[in-house]
Amino acid sequence: MELHDVWFVLIAVLWTGYFFLEGFDFGVGILTKLLARNRPEKRVLINTIGPVWDGNEVWLLSAGGATFAAFPDWYATLFSGFYLPLLIILVSLIVRGVAFEYRAKRPEENWQRNWETAIFWTSLIPAFLWGVAFGNIVQGVKIDKNFEYVGTVWDLLNPYALLGGLVTLTLFTFHGAVFTALKTVGDIRERARKLATVVGLVTAVVALIFLLWTQVDSGDGKSLVALVVAVAALVAALVANRAGREGWSFALSGITIVAAVAMLFLSLFPNVMPSSLNGDWSLTVTNASSSPYTLKIMTWCAAIATPIVLLYQGWTYWVFRKRIGTQHIADAVH
């Protein structure tokens, strides 16, 4: 396997890790409006992801940085062609981080309510737009012979990509509901499980349509295996959730995300951005990659840094592993 193939796989792993981890905290952010009935319950939801949300975003920084260094032409075409949606995602993530930090700085109800509203929208918008972006990447966009995007932002809002956005939005919300059930106690835990069942059924429908569309359009035998795993894991996650096995349900919803993202990258390879105008103008792992020397240096750096990041994140999740409820919120107790 050539180094550019290795880095394609590594970038796929980084995006998979990002969607697995950031997916559930996007989902929890969305649930602050759908599940929480009062301010203490909103605080419970926010506290479940409070120690980990910023660490989850490290995977996005790593994926973006790796793409820039390993496949500069892919990075340039992607970020120039998808400038507006990616800018909206970036602004949302910035506002979201500020909302988490500033929400409790003042006691006024309006102040806290406004920041909680910001958390909801800045969780929902990226959850939807990431699906739209990857739907366009897999389906192909208007790239000319100079490897430049020549379409408009309206070309990105096609049925396949919009369906992809619905898949990530519903799947992340389901993932977040299961995580909430895993991390909370009392009434909010039971309501999270019930909501997870409803959202999970909707997810199953839209995800099956999207994945079958992907398979018919650009899939092969390997992507078909990933499709089967994704669907089976999602069904098993719903069954485990109904049985009150939140740990299994969360693990299986995570497997659903992993398998679905793997299917998209398997359908994409060896392209990194197919051209819908002419197949010969597509960006591939070969014509979009950096020099072998650059990839070699990156491989050594990744081999050293990645285990450290994984150990640190694993330790963080272990320290903050206990369940919480409204009884742990001081204002609610009084």
Side-chain angles (χ1 to χ4, degrees):
M1 182 181 289
E2 299 290 337
L3 276 179
H4 50 66
D5 296 331
V6 171
W7 273 97
F8 179 86
V9 174
L10 291 177
I11 289 172
V13 170
L14 290 171
W15 280 111
T16 302
Y18 174 66
F19 287 143
F20 180 98
L21 297 172
E22 190 87 306
F24 72 73
D25 72 49
F26 280 151
V28 171
I30 294 169
L31 293 178
T32 57
K33 287 285 188 184
L34 302 182
L35 181 65
R37 292 176 174 172
N38 50 46
R39 178 139 293 109
E41 289 191 352
K42 290 183 179 180
R43 290 181 61 183
V44 168
L45 290 175
I46 293 171
N47 287 352
T48 63
I49 59 174
V52 298
W53 69 267
D54 48 354
N56 294 344
E57 292 187 354
V58 170
W59 290 80
L60 173 60
L61 298 175
S62 300
T67 304
F68 172 78
F71 299 99
D73 288 340
W74 183 13
Y75 182 93
T77 304
L78 175 64
F79 278 79
S80 60
F82 293 24
Y83 181 82
L84 182 58
L86 292 179
L87 177 63
I88 293 172
I89 290 173
L90 177 61
V91 172
S92 295
L93 294 179
I94 293 172
V95 174
R96 189 169 183 264
V98 173
F100 280 128
E101 297 298 330
Y102 274 70
R103 179 195 155 278
K105 296 300 183 183
R106 289 170 56 177
E108 292 89 345
E109 184 174 346
N110 285 341
W111 172 274
Q112 295 190 3
R113 185 190 303 114
N114 290 338
W115 285 119
E116 288 163 359
T117 300
I119 290 172
F120 169 76
W121 285 109
T122 56
S123 299
L124 185 150
I125 291 170
F128 176 73
L129 289 181
W130 279 128
V132 174
F134 271 83
N136 278 291
I137 291 173
V138 173
Q139 180 179 242
V141 292
K142 294 179 179 179
I143 299 175
D144 66 12
K145 62 182 179 181
N146 297 316
F147 302 138
E148 295 180 358
Y149 179 72
V150 294
T152 67
V153 68
W154 303 113
D155 293 323
L156 303 178
L157 303 179
N158 56 78
Y160 176 80
L162 292 174
L163 181 60
L166 288 177
V167 171
T168 52
L169 176 59
T170 55
L171 181 54
F172 291 169
T173 305
F174 171 69
H175 198 39
V178 173
F179 179 79
T180 300
L182 177 65
K183 288 288 292 178
T184 57
V185 295
D187 182 56
I188 193 170
R189 175 188 176 188
E190 296 303 317
R191 284 188 281 115
R193 284 176 51 200
K194 292 178 181 178
L195 182 60
T197 299
V198 176
V199 177
L201 290 173
V202 175
T203 303
V205 174
V206 295
L208 182 60
I209 296 172
F210 178 76
L211 295 178
L212 286 174
W213 190 343
T214 304
Q215 178 64 29
V216 171
D217 189 48
S218 57
D220 57 15
K222 294 178 182 178
S223 62
L224 179 60
V225 172
L227 185 156
V228 173
V229 172
V231 173
L234 181 55
V235 172
L238 283 165
V239 173
N241 177 68
R242 289 281 293 176
R245 303 298 297 272
E246 292 100 342
W248 279 105
S249 184
F250 179 72
L252 288 163
S253 67
I255 292 173
T256 302
I257 293 175
V258 171
V261 177
M263 181 188 176
L264 295 182
F265 277 94
L266 287 169
S267 300
L268 188 60
F269 187 81
N271 295 318
V272 293
M273 281 192 77
S275 172
S276 60
L277 300 178
N278 188 326
D280 294 335
W281 298 344
S282 297
L283 287 166
T284 68
V285 293
T286 304
N287 64 26
S289 69
S290 293
S291 67
Y293 183 70
T294 300
L295 296 178
K296 186 175 181 180
I297 293 176
M298 289 176 59
T299 303
W300 280 106
C301 293
I304 296 171
T306 302
I308 297 173
V309 174
L310 291 175
L311 286 172
Y312 173 77
Q313 277 207 297
W315 176 78
T316 302
Y317 277 94
W318 174 256
V319 170
F320 296 100
R321 67 189 181 278
K322 292 184 179 179
R323 295 177 182 266
I324 62 173
T326 53
Q327 66 269 30
H328 299 115
I329 305 300
D331 293 346
V333 173
H334 297 296

